[in-house]
Amino acid sequence: MENQTDILLLEGLKVPHQSTVPAFILLLLIYVFIMVSNLGLVLLIATERSLHQPMYLLFCNMSVNDAFGASTLIPRLLSDALLPSTERFIPYIDCAAQAFCGHLHASMCHTVLMIMAFDRYVAICNPLRYAAIMTNRMVAVLSAWAWTVSLLLVSILVGLSVRLTRCRWVIFNPFCDNASLFKLSCESVLINNIYGLGYTIVLLGSSLGSIALTYLRIAVVCLSGRNATLNGRALQTCATHLAVYVIMLVSGSVVIILHRFPLLSDQRKLASIMFHVVPPALNAIIYGLQIKVVRQKIFIMFSSKTTTVKC
């Protein structure tokens, strides 16, 4: 039995047999779209010299994190989708690595969006000093801070679960996360629950608090300003950022809420997958269409295709 716990069984989603192939194709297409759109956006910003500005460099951070998060989860789901539910095995070390990467991606979503909120605050509330404050070096420092804090918090979170001895071998989830890891143990998980609660409060509290205060301040500046054009541009940029934040927050909150209803376990599993699929797919669209160069390239691409069809 001790050896069996080194190989775990993923319960996965209960997909009807006739829907397995369509579900596989749909998930594969979504994954390809996520990778192409996010990495394409990173490549465009890296090669277009006019986009070497703080706001766009922060977009790169978000896109890299989204591609990383999707790659943590979707390839494994695709490989498991074509297997019988009784044969979806995963080595414990791979499970722990997937849990670590999944939580790192979620944590980075919050820290990167906090930095982006700070960037918008400086740009709108202190525009004359924006170039002096938000230099490329400052962006690099803030990005390093975001990754370092996330790595530290998640390392402790997952490390507390990995230290536990295991007496179970079934993961009641489509993929591995921290809760799945410590539920494999028959030991007391009080420390895990306390740290997990503190981790959530610190991360979510910092994220919600900083973004709420930032945008309240921005709203005051916009309402007191008399330049309608500048206010319109500022609100458009902020609306984009808030849309991304709300999508991430709603996706994560649905999973947390469904945890309270054991009878809705299948819906919770689906929602947990959507958290790693929907935001990465939408973020590249939302941010990409905000960049004029991206819109122009898309317009040129579609115009050339239309011309070819007519010919």
Side-chain angles (χ1 to χ4, degrees):
M1 186 66 184
E2 289 179 1
N3 292 330
Q4 283 183 322
T5 57
D6 291 331
I7 301 295
L8 309 175
L9 177 67
L10 287 167
E11 189 180 57
L13 285 173
K14 295 176 182 177
V15 181
H17 180 70
Q18 64 273 18
S19 303
T20 300
V21 174
F24 176 88
I25 294 172
L26 176 62
L27 191 58
L28 177 61
L29 290 175
I30 292 172
Y31 179 60
V32 170
F33 174 78
I34 289 172
M35 298 304 291
V36 170
S37 58
N38 281 287
L39 296 182
L41 187 60
V42 172
L43 183 63
L44 176 64
I45 293 172
T47 55
E48 192 72 35
R49 190 172 295 275
S50 62
L51 298 179
H52 291 180
Q53 300 174 29
M55 182 173 70
Y56 301 124
L57 295 177
L58 291 173
F59 286 177
C60 282
N61 250 325
M62 180 63 72
S63 292
V64 168
N65 184 50
D66 284 339
F68 167 71
S71 298
T72 296
L73 180 68
I74 299 178
R76 183 80 204 189
L77 288 174
L78 289 171
S79 65
D80 287 345
L82 301 177
L83 294 174
S85 58
T86 55
E87 296 180 14
R88 294 170 181 170
F89 299 108
I90 182 172
Y92 179 78
I93 190 168
D94 290 355
C95 186
Q98 188 182 56
F100 176 85
C101 293
H103 284 284
L104 179 62
H105 163 249
S107 178
M108 278 299 300
C109 287
H110 286 279
T111 52
V112 171
L113 285 170
M114 287 165 64
I115 295 172
M116 292 176 77
F118 174 72
D119 173 76
R120 292 300 84 207
Y121 170 78
V122 176
I124 295 168
C125 299
N126 203 349
L128 297 179
R129 296 195 59 207
Y130 178 77
I133 297 173
M134 291 302 295
T135 60
N136 289 346
R137 183 177 180 277
M138 174 62 78
V139 172
V141 170
L142 291 174
S143 299
W145 170 84
W147 282 97
T148 302
V149 169
S150 297
L151 279 168
L152 180 62
L153 291 174
V154 175
S155 296
I156 298 172
L157 182 74
V158 177
L160 288 172
S161 297
V162 171
R163 71 185 172 86
L164 300 169
T165 56
R166 304 183 297 280
C167 62
R168 303 181 184 94
W169 66 294
V170 179
I171 300 287
F172 296 102
N173 214 30
F175 57 91
C176 297
D177 58 10
N178 184 60
S180 301
L181 289 179
F182 68 69
K183 285 179 181 177
L184 296 173
S185 178
C186 294
E187 294 183 45
S188 170
V189 293
L190 178 63
I191 295 176
N192 299 70
N193 287 325
I194 291 173
Y195 180 81
L197 181 62
Y199 163 84
T200 304
I201 291 173
V202 168
L203 190 63
L204 196 58
S206 301
S207 173
L208 278 171
S210 62
I211 288 176
L213 289 173
T214 298
Y215 280 96
L216 280 174
R217 176 61 180 159
I218 289 173
V220 170
V221 170
C222 288
L223 290 173
S224 60
R226 295 182 179 180
N227 192 322
T229 303
L230 289 178
N231 289 345
R233 289 178 184 174
L235 291 174
Q236 181 183 358
T237 305
C238 293
T240 303
H241 181 260
L242 281 175
V244 170
Y245 187 76
V246 169
I247 289 169
M248 181 198 69
L249 205 59
V250 170
S251 301
S253 299
V254 169
V255 179
I256 296 171
I257 292 169
L258 289 176
H259 263 292
R260 304 292 180 267
F261 301 94
L263 295 177
L264 300 176
S265 61
D266 289 336
Q267 288 83 351
R268 176 185 57 79
K269 292 175 188 176
L270 182 60
S272 64
I273 293 173
M274 290 298 100
F275 175 77
H276 292 273
V277 171
V278 175
L282 293 179
N283 288 352
I285 298 174
I286 294 171
Y287 283 129
L289 293 179
Q290 183 181 335
I291 302 174
K292 186 177 179 180
V293 176
V294 175
R295 294 200 305 269
Q296 289 174 341
K297 288 186 180 294
I298 293 173
F299 178 75
I300 292 169
M301 182 178 66
F302 278 101
S303 297
S304 61
K305 285 185 177 180
T306 304
T307 305
T308 304
V309 171
K310 288 180 179 180
C311 292

